[in-house]
Amino acid sequence: MTRLRHRSAPDVRVEIRGELPRADAEYARARALDVSVALGPGAYAARVRLTRLRHPSLARPVVAQAAIELAGAGPVRVQLAAATGGEAVDVALGTLAGRAARLRELGDIGLAAVYESAYRPQCAPRPLAERQIVRRKSVTPARRTPDEAVRAMLALDHRFHLFTDALTGQDSVVHRSAEHGGLRLVRAHSTARLGHSGLPLTESPHPAPRLDPAEAARRLWLTCLPFVFHTDPGDARGRVLYRRYDGHYGLITPVAEAR
């Protein structure tokens, strides 16, 4: 792993993982610096991580994660993949620049970010017997309305977002859903009237299933979905088991009481 840091303002950091040439890191640093300068004052802390996944079946094995902080607007993040490091850098930073400019000027990054990109990273195929939960992350879910949760999800370019629903106090998830027209809301225990939303957001009529980790992993395997939102039989809190791009699983667990 190589870390490079541009010490003059704006701050730019690049990290590479896997078998990638140093030239890719240098190119990423230069492009990230260009984006930061083009966005002007208030754009800082640009970060790029390049990861090469090892699997011959992947057409786009290089994943680029790019992020930048905007004063008064918060972080913007993009995660896309391409065949080479240079292409991944161009796609990710080009998308990041457009989303950051829109967030600063209009207050959101637009509904175009809802739908899947052709450059979305692929999950490496891994035999079921080899799959493990290799990352466990504890979070304090932010208290938000569903619309606010969607905007946070899109700004960070996540497929889902775990939050505390401001209306019901429940652990809830919003996620991208091509099947349901764009965006979907699932609450842990019961449904409620979603209310007015200016987003293509629909609510599941069913609460999250009650599953232990093994049952959640089995459901994730059977459905081939990117994640499973479920409640734990022990504490009834919402959890998210998700597929990582290396073919393993990650588990997100809330640590504070939902209010």
Side-chain angles (χ1 to χ4, degrees), residues 90-110:
D90 287 342
V91 169
L93 286 173
T95 303
L96 181 71
R99 292 183 180 180
R102 181 181 174 95
L103 179 63
R104 172 180 282 172
E105 295 168 8
L106 301 178
D108 65 61
I109 63 173

Side-chain angles (χ1 to χ4, degrees), residues 43-130:
Y44 61 97
R47 305 288 182 261
V48 180
R49 175 187 293 170
L50 291 176
T51 303
R52 184 176 185 86
L53 301 174
R54 293 183 178 181
H55 200 283
S57 71
L58 295 178
R60 300 184 300 278
V62 183
V63 179
Q65 298 167 307
I68 196 164
E69 294 280 344
L70 298 177
V76 187
R77 177 179 176 271
V78 168
Q79 182 168 254
L80 298 172
T84 67
E87 183 185 10
V89 167
D90 287 342
V91 169
L93 286 173
T95 303
L96 181 71
R99 292 183 180 180
R102 181 181 174 95
L103 179 63
R104 172 180 282 172
E105 295 168 8
L106 301 178
D108 65 61
I109 63 173
L111 293 180
V114 170
Y115 304 101
E116 293 292 333
S117 166
Y119 290 92
R120 179 68 55 192
Q122 305 160 281
C123 290
R126 185 176 293 275
L128 179 62
E130 295 181 6

Side-chain angles (χ1 to χ4, degrees), residues 10 16 50 66 70-71 76 80 103 116 125 130 137 143 146 190 201 217 227 236 257 259:
I16 57 174
L50 291 176
L70 298 177
V76 187
L80 298 172
L103 179 63
E116 293 292 333
E130 295 181 6
K137 183 177 181 180
R143 192 177 185 86
S190 64
L201 178 62
F227 73 93
E257 290 295 326
R259 298 179 181 178

Side-chain angles (χ1 to χ4, degrees), residues 228-258:
V228 169
F229 176 49
H230 63 285
T231 55
D232 183 78
D235 61 13
R237 295 296 306 274
R239 284 161 168 73
V240 180
L241 184 72
Y242 64 94
R243 296 177 65 196
R244 290 164 45 92
Y245 294 120
D246 61 7
H248 285 300
Y249 299 143
L251 179 65
I252 300 177
T253 303
V255 294
E257 290 295 326

